[in-house]
Amino acid sequence: MRKLFIAGNWKMNLDDVGAVQLCQDLKTQLAGCGAAKVDVAVFPPFVYLPIVAEALRGSTIAMGAQDVWTEGNGAFTGEVSVDMLKDVGCTFVLVGHSERRHVIGETNELLNKKAKVALAGGLNVIFCIGELLEERQGNKTEAVVEEQIRLGLAGITAEQMANVTIAYEPVWAIGTGVTASKEQAQEAHAFTRKILTDLFGAEVAEATRIQYGGSVKGANAAELTAEPDVDGALVGGASLKADDFMAIINNGASNVGGCGGCCCG
Ligand code: PGA
């Protein structure tokens, strides 16, 4: 089984005090717990990255940014480069979150550029894919997901895939409280792995972690991550409170041998 990867996308939430408090609570609760079994990362807003890096010091929790720009420097008002993210301690970046695709309007082509630049610069990429409700209802889920993967990962090498995690996040499940069923998640993840096999070969596809995202909570984390192709979760709302996020981490860890009974309740 691939080691689970639970990531918290804070989106545009929290303030400086709340961000530091959340890190401290996670650090305390993770110490000697599910952390050994599960990789954990948080994705704060840009402005809190330095204080979050400081607050996470000495822990195993990784930090990533929610977005990145395609150029190294220059006249790109409002944007942030790969080197800047690395400067403040990021090792991960989200690319193609549904809110970037559907609220901000980022295209597959732009997201492909971002992924390539981030990987070339040494960041790990969580590359997000997922269909809209009308696409699922119109039986277009596989076509949409396949296009997002093929265009989004174009030009990325099999070697670079070691630094890529895919997050399957059906848009209709994000922030809605409606979670994909474990069967729906498994089906989409297996299909994603099939496309990865076609692009990069079976060995790379097998090793690539595919997270599920969309209203993941403590109550559904264990059953989702028990599916053979669900290798973790990208969590929004439930990553903003340490207790909620820890419930997801611990319930996920229960699928990979538990956490030694230290805090699973
Ligand atoms: P949610 O968000 O867990 O609040 O549904 C998931 C995401 O946007 O990554």
Side-chain angles (χ1 to χ4, degrees):
M1 189 177 194
R2 291 163 291 271
K3 190 176 181 191
L4 291 181
F5 180 21
I6 311 289
N9 172 14
W10 297 358
K11 311 191 182 190
M12 202 171 75
N13 289 301
L14 299 176
D15 57 15
D16 54 352
V17 175
V20 169
Q21 187 63 54
L22 176 54
C23 292
Q24 283 165 351
D25 292 347
L26 288 176
K27 249 169 98 166
T28 309
Q29 295 190 35
L30 263 174
C33 190
K37 308 279 184 189
V38 179
D39 288 326
V40 177
V42 294
F43 292 75
F46 284 137
V47 292
Y48 302 135
L49 289 168
I51 56 167
V52 165
E54 187 56 38
L56 293 178
R57 202 178 292 278
S59 81
T60 55
I61 305 170
M63 183 180 77
Q66 297 173 18
D67 191 26
V68 66
W69 187 238
T70 55
E71 307 298 324
N73 65 318
F76 302 99
T77 301
E79 296 297 342
V80 174
S81 72
V82 170
D83 283 346
M84 291 170 182
L85 296 182
K86 290 197 301 184
D87 265 354
V88 294
C90 288
T91 51
F92 282 88
V93 65
L94 291 179
V95 174
H97 188 277
S98 87
E99 287 140 29
R100 302 298 313 174
R101 291 179 185 271
H102 299 295
V103 181
I104 315 289
E106 297 192 351
T107 62
N108 284 315
E109 290 68 25
L110 175 62
L111 298 173
N112 174 242
K113 255 193 193 172
K114 289 187 175 189
K116 285 196 287 200
V117 165
L119 289 168
L123 287 176
N124 295 289
V125 168
I126 297 185
F127 193 82
C128 307
I129 57 173
E131 82 287 357
L132 296 163
L133 182 58
E134 55 265 38
E135 291 167 339
R136 174 160 284 266
Q137 288 169 338
N139 279 329
K140 294 195 184 115
T141 298
E142 292 194 349
V144 169
V145 162
E146 179 164 359
E147 181 174 70
Q148 289 173 337
I149 299 170
R150 287 190 186 276
L151 297 180
L153 301 183
I156 287 167
T157 65
E159 241 171 39
Q160 287 178 314
M161 283 301 291
N163 298 319
V164 175
T165 299
I166 306 288
Y168 168 67
E169 299 200 298
V171 182
W172 46 272
I174 297 177
T176 59
V178 179
T179 315
S181 67
K182 58 185 176 27
E183 292 83 9
Q184 286 172 321
Q186 168 57 24
E187 191 180 29
H189 283 226
F191 177 75
T192 296
R193 207 175 302 283
K194 188 172 131 218
I195 305 299
L196 294 179
T197 305
D198 192 38
L199 287 172
F200 303 105
E203 202 177 318
V204 169
E206 203 38 55
T208 303
R209 290 194 288 197
I210 306 174
Q211 298 173 318
Y212 167 79
S215 300
V216 177
K217 323 178 216 354
N220 57 30
E223 72 166 25
L224 284 163
T225 56
E227 291 297 317
D229 286 294
V230 179
D231 308 316
L234 179 54
V235 185
S239 71
L240 297 173
K241 286 197 188 131
D243 287 351
D244 295 345
F245 196 46
M246 282 306 301
I248 294 169
I249 294 166
N250 282 328
N251 290 342
S254 68
N255 288 321
V256 283
C259 71
C262 56
C263 57
C264 288

